[in-house]
Amino acid sequence: RRFLQGAVVTGTVAAMQHHQAVRRLAWQTLGQHGPKPAKKIVFKGPGMLRGLSSLPNADLPATGPLAGLRVLDLSRILAGPSSTMLMGDMGATIVKIERPGGGDDTRRYAPPYIQKKEGEDSDLAAYFVSCNRNKQSVAVNYTKPEGQAVLHRLLETSDVLVENFKTGTLAKYGLSYDQLKDKHPGLIYCSITGFGHTGPYSKRPAYDMLIQAMGGSMSITGEPEGEPMKMGLSMFDLTAGLHAVIGILAALENRRLTGLGQHVDVAMLDVSVALLQNQGMNYLAKMQRQARVGNSHPNVVPYQVMKSKDGHFILTASNDEQFERFCIVGDAEELLQDERFNTMKARVVNRVHVTQVLNDVTRKHTTAWWLEQLERENVGCAPILHLDEVFADPHVQARSMEIKMDVPGCDQPVSLIGSPMKFSETPVNYRWPPPRVGEHTDKILAEAGYSPSQVTELCNLGAIDNLKNGPQSVGRA
């Protein structure tokens, strides 16, 4: 692609339109007839494919809406890799740049490891697998000038660069946005950091738990009399990755109109503050600290964990009509005449008493009884599931949220978490299993115009690694 200031070259638009037509044809062909695979392809859910990596080289045409987009992925660990995997699932070509030998740090975030066969670990860390499918790995030592030259060559055909190094790190190697933007004016350069590229904390490193603490979420999570509590997920790594994808897509739309790229600066702390949303506004409304309410909701009662005869369940009677139906189901209609219960505001003001009385009501029956009766009356409720129950849930399975891919080194197809994005015309597909370090170095460099002798020379200089010097572990160091 070539870009002119203020306008997109006409040929680019024509090329993209042609590619979209080819992509639609490819998907129709796959959906109707299927290619000739090395192993059987199993369909799972509407428009979703399992076992795609069974095909030779896993080199299927991308069917998603981002097919044709090329992303140079310099990120590692979770925030950046999660964002690039989302784009890879949606069809983008993701070239993952890794350190020769060691690769992404999460290759060593284990155990657990993916199972080679029942009862036997592979050398592939489950953490790495969680956010690195649909990527091709190129091992480049960009601390060397020759490695930097390789990245500059790859940038010539890249639309997007994603990185999540501390602010200023890549500038040491001539790879900051300011150092690249003149040579690559159409490049979308996305940085995901803890604190952003401006401000007094910009040079600090960050981890998800630090951001949960500094962004306020820990202060409002946990039991009222307990200690501050972190969430069970790496929430702000993952949501920073989501915001990165949103920012990249917006910048691509602007480039479509102007021909110009830009820097997308996503900070985990900014994301954590933005996601305070209603809780943050509860503070800003009166400038008063919010007390922790445990598993309850600060503005709605009951909206919480409830005790049953044999365990617990979730009750979310989020308006007066649902609360009335709950009382009828629970044979507690007298509460509707009590001024502490009969309005949403009253239930919040009298939270402690209301919660105690309602728990006395819900203890009378089993969880299964409550779920059946409340669902029948359209009152919000849910079981509290363990992960084995989640992945066994028929709805989760029907939505293809568990997929299978053939992974080199594993005897059986490996279960992975599917994409939550379901497109009617341009479905996601799963083309590449999580790669070994440098597995695709030769392929990608050949596509970039390097000859075999040039690749060998770069290997001898220590600028790249193409796995020709002996086996490497994909997981364990």
Side-chain angles (χ1 to χ4, degrees):
R1 296 181 180 88
R2 297 180 61 192
F3 294 87
L4 297 176
Q5 182 151 346
V8 180
V9 177
T10 305
T12 301
V13 176
M16 289 301 293
Q17 290 172 342
H18 172 73
H19 183 86
Q20 289 166 359
V22 171
R23 181 179 63 199
R24 285 193 294 269
L25 178 61
W27 175 250
Q28 291 166 1
T29 303
L30 283 170
Q32 293 173 4
H33 307 291
K36 186 177 181 181
K39 298 181 183 178
K40 183 179 179 181
I41 291 179
V42 180
F43 287 84
K44 183 177 179 64
M48 307 294 287
L49 290 175
R50 297 177 72 187
L52 290 180
S53 60
S54 310
L55 298 174
N57 302 319
D59 202 1
L60 285 172
T63 58
L66 297 185
L69 188 76
R70 292 188 69 89
V71 178
L72 193 64
D73 181 9
L74 272 67
S75 68
R76 65 270 186 270
I77 307 188
L78 185 55
S82 67
S83 71
T84 53
M85 187 179 77
L86 286 172
M87 290 187 284
D89 287 351
M90 289 190 287
T93 297
I94 310 297
V95 177
K96 182 178 178 69
I97 304 300
E98 300 193 73
R99 298 191 317 271
D104 192 312
D105 294 342
T106 59
R107 292 181 181 275
R108 292 168 294 284
Y109 283 18
Y113 296 94
I114 296 301
Q115 295 291 283
K116 179 178 180 179
K117 58 185 177 182
E118 187 174 356
E120 181 180 342
D121 287 346
S122 72
D123 56 3
L124 190 61
Y127 195 123
F128 176 80
V129 168
S130 74
C131 53
N132 282 290
R133 67 165 172 255
N134 277 338
K135 300 179 183 182
Q136 299 173 69
S137 175
V138 178
V140 180
N141 182 355
Y142 48 80
T143 66
K144 291 178 172 289
E146 297 84 1
Q148 295 161 23
V150 169
L151 294 189
H152 279 279
R153 176 79 70 88
L154 296 178
L155 280 169
E156 291 175 5
T157 54
S158 297
D159 300 288
V160 179
L161 182 151
V162 178
E163 60 92 10
N164 61 347
F165 289 89
K166 284 192 300 181
T167 298
T169 297
L170 290 181
K172 295 184 291 186
Y173 310 115
L175 295 170
S176 71
Y177 174 68
D178 287 339
Q179 292 164 322
L180 295 176
K181 64 180 181 180
D182 290 338
K183 185 176 180 181
H184 306 284
L187 180 68
I188 309 301
Y189 188 113
C190 181
S191 299
I192 309 171
T193 58
F195 301 98
H197 277 236
T198 61
Y201 303 159
S202 62
K203 299 299 176 76
R204 291 186 183 182
Y207 297 93
D208 190 88
M209 190 170 182
L210 303 182
I211 299 301
Q212 290 196 35
M214 294 182 68
S217 65
M218 285 184 68
S219 73
I220 56 175
T221 304
E223 293 301 322
E225 303 304 321
E227 63 182 15
M229 186 69 63
K230 78 175 185 71
M231 289 174 272
L233 303 174
S234 296
M235 183 59 67
F236 298 120
D237 274 316
L238 294 169
T239 51
L242 285 171
H243 281 77
V245 174
I246 295 167
I248 288 167
L249 296 180
L252 286 167
E253 172 62 11
N254 181 73
R255 190 183 73 175
R256 184 183 69 83
L257 299 172
T258 68
L260 296 176
Q262 60 183 298
H263 188 202
V264 180
D265 179 5
V266 177
M268 292 169 63
L269 184 62
D270 294 353
V271 170
S272 71
V273 174
L275 292 182
L276 289 173
Q277 292 282 8
N278 58 308
Q279 288 279 45
M281 285 308 304
N282 286 347
Y283 166 75
L284 291 174
K286 289 191 173 182
M287 299 297 180
Q288 295 176 354
R289 289 185 178 181
Q290 301 296 296
R292 290 193 296 276
V293 292
N295 284 317
S296 301
H297 193 289
N299 307 112
V300 182
V301 178
Y303 193 102
Q304 60 206 74
V305 175
M306 302 299 294
K307 296 178 181 178
S308 70
K309 192 173 183 178
D310 61 351
H312 298 85
F313 68 99
I314 298 295
L315 173 65
T316 58
S318 57
N319 56 49
D320 288 331
E321 291 74 21
Q322 285 197 38
F323 183 71
E324 179 179 353
R325 296 198 295 273
F326 162 78
C327 290
I328 293 171
V329 168
D331 194 23
E333 293 173 81
E334 72 278 3
L335 298 179
L336 299 174
Q337 308 306 317
D338 190 324
E339 63 182 11
R340 295 169 295 182
F341 290 80
N342 59 11
T343 68
M344 290 187 67
K345 178 179 178 181
R347 293 192 293 275
V348 173
V349 171
N350 296 284
R351 175 190 302 277
V352 174
H353 176 70
V354 170
T355 297
Q356 180 179 342
V357 171
L358 296 186
N359 270 307
D360 289 340
V361 173
T362 57
R363 282 192 187 98
K364 295 177 182 178
H365 301 287
T366 64
T367 293
W369 186 92
W370 280 111
L371 295 178
E372 180 181 355
Q373 301 300 318
L374 293 174
E375 286 177 3
R376 181 179 300 156
E377 298 301 323
N378 291 317
V379 178
C381 61
I384 301 171
L385 301 181
H386 294 280
L387 295 190
D388 59 319
E389 297 169 310
V390 171
F391 287 107
D393 188 287
H395 190 81
V396 171
Q397 288 292 319
R399 296 287 293 174
S400 299
M401 289 310 300
E402 180 187 357
I403 64 167
K404 298 276 188 183
M405 291 190 82
D406 289 331
V407 175
C410 296
D411 293 351
Q412 299 294 327
V414 171
S415 288
L416 303 176
I417 299 173
S419 170
M421 288 171 289
K422 315 302 197 247
F423 297 96
S424 63
E425 299 299 324
T426 54
V428 304
N429 64 345
Y430 308 104
R431 307 172 303 284
W432 299 93
R436 297 173 66 194
V437 181
E439 179 179 344
H440 306 100
T441 299
D442 280 355
K443 173 183 180 295
I444 295 299
L445 294 192
E447 292 173 355
Y450 284 92
S451 67
S453 62
Q454 288 174 317
V455 170
T456 299
E457 182 180 359
L458 288 169
C459 285
N460 292 336
L461 291 171
I464 65 169
D465 193 333
N466 63 355
L467 298 184
K468 295 294 178 64
N469 297 318
Q472 291 187 33
S473 166
V474 296
R476 296 175 180 172

